[in-house]
Amino acid sequence: MEQQLMGRPSRIARLKRMLSCADSVEISTGRMAPVRPQTQRHRLAVNALMVVLTLGVFALDLLTGFDVSIATLYVLVLLLAAPKDRRTIYTWTGLCLGLSLNAYLAVHAASADWQSALRLSFNLVAIAITGALLVSRNHLASTRAALADSEAQMRNFANSVPQILWRSGPDATCLFLNRRYTEITGIEVEEALRTQSWGDIWHPDEGAMLVKLWTEAFAEGKELQFLGRMRQADGSFRWVNVVGRPIRSSETGEVTEWYGGTTDVHEQVLAQQEIRELNRTLEQRVMERTAELAEAGKRFNVMWNETRLAFAEQDITDARSLLDQLHADGVTDFAAYVAAHPDVRRACVAGVKTVAVNEALARMLGYESAAELVGKQPAANTERGSDVIIAQLNAVFEGKDTYLGETVLLGKDGLRVPVAFHVSMASKTRAISSLLDISERERLQELRSAAQEELARANRAATIGAFSASLAHELNQPIAAISMDAKTARRWLKREPPDVDAAVTTIGRVTANAERAATIVRWSREQLVRKKPSREALNVLSLAVETKTLLERELRKRRSSVFLACCHAAPVVEVDRVELQQVLINLIMNAADAMQDVAEDRRDVNVKMLAAPDGMLQIAVFDHGPGIKDEDLPRLFEPFFTTKPSGMGMGLQICRNIVEAAGGTISAANHPAGGAVFTFTLPLANGAPGTEGGGSSASLLPDGGSTPGQ
Amino acid sequence: MNAQRGSPIHVAVIDDDDGVRNALCATFVSAGYTVSSFADAEGFLAAQRGTPCACLVSDVQMPGMGGIELALRMTTEEPGLPVILISAYANDALRRRAVDAGAVCLFDKPFDSDHLLHRVNSLLET
């Protein structure tokens, strides 16, 4: 140990010292804090003793005159007093040397001989050596004290660290464990060191494996490290990290000892396990989500690229920031604002950029691929493109997420494609537009309107046909009379003698019948020879009466009768006469046609007029037929829908057009009592009286009543 | 014209249209016939008992009993009485029905009254 103290102590040596000293478990603090008053008293006593002894030796040396080396006794003074502090030793040693020299000079000054001088020299050397020995001893004592302090510190340190510390021999025999071992495992250190049984302190799942690892590491002289669950005093297990390192002899390179520690890492391991578990779950979720996203992305791509629907995606970031700015500036009417600020308008239009289009859109516009189209900006691809964009931005400005419209897209080589589009905001700055080619629809619409016009003409012609049959009958009567009377008059005049009076009377009748024919023609012209549809104040009841007359023959053929009822004092509307008549003819003839399978005496068509809310006149046409099938009801007014074997399905469509154009509505329903009822409304002419309380006068005109012109 | 053989021949005329009825009457009177006229078949039937006629000229479409029905009735009640029908809506179907009902012929309005007189004359001569 002293040998090691003289040299420069290595780290390992210090550790070794520390661990050997720590065998002792008692912790002493007395040496580290000596009681000061005792030390002082001790020093005073030593000093007093030295003074007495020194003076005694000096007196003896000076006074006795014995021819012996009295001064040698100074060595005793020094040895007896044995001062602890180096300066005191130097002082006393110097004093003794001085006194010794002093006494020699006093006694032998006169009779100095080489023998006495030699004695003096020996004395002086002896005193000096004694002083030096004393200094060495003190130095040794203080070094020992410091070492003891250090050992105590090391012991405390070893016992107070929260780790188990151990030291083993090269054969894996444990030589040292700190107190923490007992605290943690509940096994006494001495017991553990005695039994050297380590398998039981580990978790049964790992014990064998850890002992094997341990053994292998020792066999190979490799640094040891493992994690294991160590049995605690209470029987539970906690994760610990075990490390051990072999110390090799600097001369032979052989392992001489092992040092190691065991750190409780239970919380960290649990936290790690938890984190690992969380990570695993998270990874799992991420994987699932990624798969989902990939799937969704795939579906989206399929939809985007393989659908026949055309899509475009627009980035409106720049426009959006302009809109936000306008909002911030308090603008409320975007359309008006951009109309007044063309520069803002231009910026807004430029702030909408197409970022993606699908193949279907490219094909629709005659491009080879989406890539060819995507670079072209929306305003340039659309007829009145900037207007369309401004309208779309207006919807965005107003906070709408979707916007519907129709426009014409401009494709390659002047291709024009009418489309219906639907823009929906996928995010704050991304808009997805779906576009539907409606050229086919427009073409059909054109065909349909042409067909409608044609049929309206045909319908009008049919109306005129029916009308002219009645007209023929009406005109035939006066014409027949005129024809007969003309010949009669001639006969009267050819008589011998001519009967002029009779001829004049007859010619008078001719005139009357001609006048009658003219009246009929005039009336007919009023009925038929109309210019373009013109609105006029028209009494619906009067028109219904006329229409009934007009249809008399057709109805008679069907053994059907029309009954008119009006619960309104002035059923006056502003519509085109011929058009309204068409509606009435259509509905009445449909009603009559519907009753061909019911008994003849029930084939009545009832037409009722009455006031409806909101200043409307309601006209309802009832029949007693089988009614309308529920599934047919919604389609009745569609073009080309018919339930008649030879019908064209345009009649009701035309009726609806006429009624709606006049500001009314038309609908069909089944009457609870059986049969169908077609109801249409028309706005009453302004100022028509009796819309409410006064409308109680009713007239019921039975079939076969008097009709104009008869 | 050619009916001046002793006593005048009596013709009955039925038409609901005043103008046509009056013209028919004047036609026959101017040709030398005596005429009794009626606005409907029922009036004629009521008067028939007192004043038998040699020929009946009737409209087809009339309120109440029509010309076809009247012709049918006459073929049973007065089998020898020639019935001539006139109509403003003549067509083949009506013509057939008229003949089936026993009418001599059906004239379309308007018609040539000379033809009518000629037909009546020839009927009464045989």
Side-chain angles (χ1 to χ4, degrees):
Chain A
M1 179 163 294
E2 274 141 305
Q3 184 187 356
Q4 279 163 348
L5 277 172
M6 294 297 119
R8 190 173 161 215
S10 72
R11 229 173 76 216
I12 304 300
R14 262 190 282 150
L15 188 62
K16 178 178 172 182
R17 255 194 344 262
M18 176 187 92
L19 294 184
S20 349
C21 295
D23 282 357
S24 154
V25 295
E26 62 179 340
I27 297 169
S28 161
T29 54
R31 187 183 281 276
M32 298 174 78
V35 183
R36 206 165 281 276
Q38 278 182 353
T39 313
Q40 229 147 28
R41 231 176 290 141
H42 179 251
R43 196 174 292 162
L44 280 174
V46 169
N47 285 350
L49 176 65
M50 285 189 72
V51 169
V52 170
L53 284 175
T54 308
L55 290 178
V57 173
F58 182 66
L60 201 61
D61 192 10
L62 192 64
L63 301 178
T64 57
F66 296 140
D67 192 18
V68 285
S69 289
I70 297 294
T72 312
L73 290 176
Y74 284 115
V75 173
L76 279 178
V77 172
L78 285 177
L79 286 175
L80 285 173
K84 294 282 181 291
D85 133 36
R86 188 178 296 189
R87 206 192 297 161
T88 314
I89 293 169
Y90 290 157
T91 307
W92 283 102
T93 305
L95 188 64
C96 290
L97 289 175
L99 287 175
S100 188
L101 190 60
N102 214 8
Y104 174 79
L105 291 176
V107 175
H108 298 283
S111 56
D113 55 18
W114 66 273
Q115 277 186 331
S116 61
L118 197 59
R119 274 198 308 273
L120 172 66
S121 303
F122 283 135
N123 283 341
L124 290 178
V125 168
I127 292 167
I129 285 174
T130 304
L133 279 176
L134 278 174
V135 167
S136 285
R137 195 198 66 165
N138 278 358
H139 179 66
L140 181 60
S142 66
T143 304
R144 274 202 175 134
L147 177 61
D149 279 352
S150 169
E151 281 170 354
Q153 280 171 16
M154 284 298 162
R155 199 163 45 241
N156 291 340
F157 180 64
N159 284 324
S160 51
V161 290
Q163 283 87 7
I164 293 172
L165 299 177
W166 54 266
R167 176 166 64 91
S168 289
D171 58 350
T173 305
C174 186
L175 301 173
F176 166 76
L177 283 166
N178 66 349
R179 297 285 296 169
R180 188 63 68 172
Y181 182 81
T182 305
E183 283 169 32
I184 289 172
T185 62
I187 301 169
E188 289 299 329
V189 169
E190 293 74 13
E191 174 70 6
L193 294 178
R194 189 176 58 75
T195 59
Q196 294 287 328
S197 159
W198 312 109
D200 289 345
I201 63 166
W202 299 107
H203 193 278
D205 290 356
E206 301 148 349
M209 188 192 68
L210 295 185
V211 169
K212 183 163 167 273
L213 272 177
W214 189 287
T215 313
E216 279 172 10
F218 270 80
E220 292 168 26
K222 282 197 315 190
E223 190 166 317
L224 172 75
Q225 177 171 10
F226 60 80
L227 271 181
R229 278 167 292 176
M230 182 181 256
R231 191 190 296 277
Q232 306 292 298
D234 63 0
S236 65
F237 289 91
R238 288 180 72 81
W239 284 98
V240 295
N241 185 34
V242 179
V243 291
R245 182 177 282 183
I247 303 302
R248 292 176 188 279
S249 154
S250 52
E251 289 98 39
T252 63
E254 281 182 5
V255 173
T256 54
E257 282 187 309
W258 287 75
Y259 292 92
T262 302
T263 313
D264 186 310
V265 291
H266 193 68
E267 306 305 334
Q268 293 95 306
V269 169
L270 287 191
Q272 265 176 12
Q273 280 177 347
E274 204 170 320
I275 288 167
R276 208 174 299 128
E277 179 64 21
L278 276 175
N279 274 341
R280 206 178 55 75
T281 314
L282 196 63
E283 274 168 21
Q284 174 97 15
R285 295 234 171 105
V286 166
M287 264 166 60
E288 286 170 7
R289 189 80 190 109
T290 307
E292 276 172 26
L293 280 174
E295 182 67 19
K298 212 167 98 186
R299 280 205 300 269
F300 177 78
N301 279 339
V302 167
M303 213 179 77
W304 182 265
N305 285 322
E306 291 174 24
T307 178
R308 291 171 59 198
L309 284 175
F311 286 106
E313 185 178 0
Q314 289 164 348
D315 181 348
I316 65 160
T317 309
D318 295 346
R320 171 70 84 170
S321 56
L322 283 167
L323 295 186
D324 290 346
Q325 187 57 47
L326 293 181
H327 266 302
D329 293 348
V331 173
T332 52
D333 188 341
F334 175 72
Y337 185 86
V338 293
H341 300 83
D343 50 332
V344 177
R345 186 188 154 97
R346 268 192 301 279
C348 283
V349 171
V352 176
K353 297 182 185 71
T354 300
V355 289
V357 297
N358 71 346
E359 296 294 335
L361 182 58
R363 278 197 301 274
M364 185 201 283
L365 296 182
Y367 290 99
E368 291 300 316
S369 70
E372 195 181 348
L373 171 60
V374 72
K376 304 191 186 300
Q377 283 320 302
N381 282 340
T382 315
E383 201 170 78
R384 298 165 59 81
S386 60
D387 290 353
V388 173
I389 289 173
I390 288 296
Q392 181 185 332
L393 288 177
N394 191 44
V396 174
F397 186 80
E398 288 171 359
K400 292 174 187 155
D401 282 340
T402 59
Y403 173 63
L404 284 170
E406 286 185 13
T407 187
V408 175
L409 295 186
L410 304 176
K412 200 175 183 181
D413 304 330
L415 182 66
R416 296 176 76 259
V417 184
V419 292
F421 62 87
H422 177 265
V423 181
S424 79
M425 296 305 298
S427 72
K428 220 169 140 50
T429 55
R430 285 293 165 113
I432 305 277
S433 316
S434 56
L435 303 113
L436 184 67
D437 182 345
I438 56 169
S439 43
E440 189 63 11
R441 194 188 82 182
E442 294 220 322
R443 199 174 63 80
L444 283 175
Q445 185 67 43
E446 273 169 28
L447 278 178
R448 197 169 69 181
S449 3
Q452 269 177 28
E453 262 169 50
E454 194 54 42
L455 281 155
R457 263 200 295 280
N459 199 299
R460 200 170 281 227
T463 308
I464 292 167
F467 189 84
S468 57
S470 288
L471 184 64
H473 180 241
E474 291 303 319
L475 280 175
N476 272 345
Q477 305 284 27
I479 287 169
I482 288 166
S483 166
M484 281 188 283
D485 280 334
K487 294 202 167 174
T488 302
R490 195 172 64 182
R491 262 193 300 278
W492 288 127
L493 292 174
K494 278 189 173 175
R495 272 199 170 187
E496 283 303 327
D499 188 337
V500 177
D501 287 347
V504 169
T505 307
T506 308
I507 289 166
R509 271 209 312 278
V510 168
T511 310
N513 275 315
E515 184 56 42
R516 185 182 149 196
T519 306
I520 292 168
V521 169
R522 207 162 36 243
W523 177 78
S524 310
R525 180 181 289 139
E526 278 173 21
Q527 302 296 306
L528 284 176
V529 188
R530 294 214 149 262
K531 300 169 287 293
K532 290 282 166 193
S534 64
R535 297 281 160 84
E536 63 172 305
L538 187 71
N539 187 309
V540 181
L541 179 59
S542 307
L543 186 71
V545 171
E546 279 178 25
T547 307
K548 187 169 111 88
T549 308
L550 206 57
L551 295 174
E552 207 163 24
R553 268 192 80 223
E554 291 302 310
L555 290 168
R556 203 184 291 132
K557 270 202 279 189
R558 290 166 174 77
R559 300 280 186 274
S560 187
S561 310
V562 172
F563 292 89
L564 304 176
C566 181
C567 300
H568 196 287
V572 179
V573 295
E574 275 189 14
V575 293
D576 181 71
R577 168 186 289 267
V578 177
E579 286 189 348
L580 178 54
Q581 195 162 48
Q582 257 185 297
V583 174
L584 287 171
I585 289 171
N586 250 302
L587 296 184
I588 290 171
M589 292 312 294
N590 277 349
D593 287 343
M595 295 188 289
Q596 290 312 288
D597 294 323
V598 303
E600 277 193 32
D601 60 349
R602 294 190 63 240
R603 294 184 192 169
D604 297 337
V605 178
N606 292 300
V607 180
K608 288 181 183 166
M609 285 151 250
L610 64 154
D614 302 319
M616 303 295 275
L617 179 72
Q618 177 184 301
I619 300 115
V621 180
F622 299 81
D623 66 41
H624 297 93
I628 306 158
K629 288 185 198 136
D630 284 343
E631 66 261 34
D632 291 341
L633 269 174
R635 303 175 51 209
L636 278 181
F637 294 93
E638 287 176 9
F640 308 114
F641 178 78
T642 184
T643 58
K644 297 182 190 176
S646 61
M648 299 197 66
M650 287 309 295
L652 289 175
Q653 157 79 359
I654 291 168
C655 286
R656 187 174 70 176
N657 288 350
I658 292 171
V659 169
E660 290 180 354
T665 57
I666 187 165
S667 62
N670 285 313
H671 198 271
V677 51
F678 283 82
T679 307
F680 67 96
T681 59
L682 291 169
L684 282 160
N686 283 341
T691 48
E692 290 300 326
S696 57
S697 80
S699 65
L700 193 62
L701 302 182
D703 189 26
S706 69
T707 50
Q710 260 197 333
Chain B
M1 284 190 251
N2 50 9
Q4 314 299 325
R5 295 165 301 180
S7 60
I9 299 168
H10 194 74
V11 177
V13 169
I14 312 169
D15 199 307
D16 61 328
D17 187 278
D18 292 349
V20 174
R21 190 172 66 247
N22 291 337
L24 278 171
C25 286
T27 300
F28 283 110
V29 170
S30 66
Y33 295 89
T34 56
V35 182
S36 46
S37 68
F38 305 90
D40 51 42
E42 287 80 4
F44 164 76
L45 289 173
Q48 173 71 358
R49 315 288 174 240
T51 47
C53 60
C55 181
L56 173 61
V57 177
S58 173
D59 190 15
V60 174
Q61 285 89 13
M62 291 181 295
M65 185 184 287
I68 301 284
E69 196 184 335
L70 180 63
L72 202 58
R73 182 157 170 180
M74 286 299 110
T75 52
T76 52
E77 288 186 9
E78 302 274 347
L81 179 67
V83 177
I84 294 171
L85 293 176
I86 54 175
S87 172
Y89 301 115
N91 58 31
D92 289 344
L94 186 63
R95 208 174 301 282
R96 213 164 30 247
R97 281 173 64 211
V99 173
D100 290 348
V104 176
C105 62
L106 176 71
F107 280 87
D108 293 353
K109 290 180 196 175
F111 51 85
D112 185 341
S113 53
D114 288 342
H115 289 168
L116 176 65
L117 284 174
H118 182 72
R119 191 69 199 257
V120 171
N121 261 333
S122 58
L123 275 173
L124 296 179
E125 273 172 6
T126 53

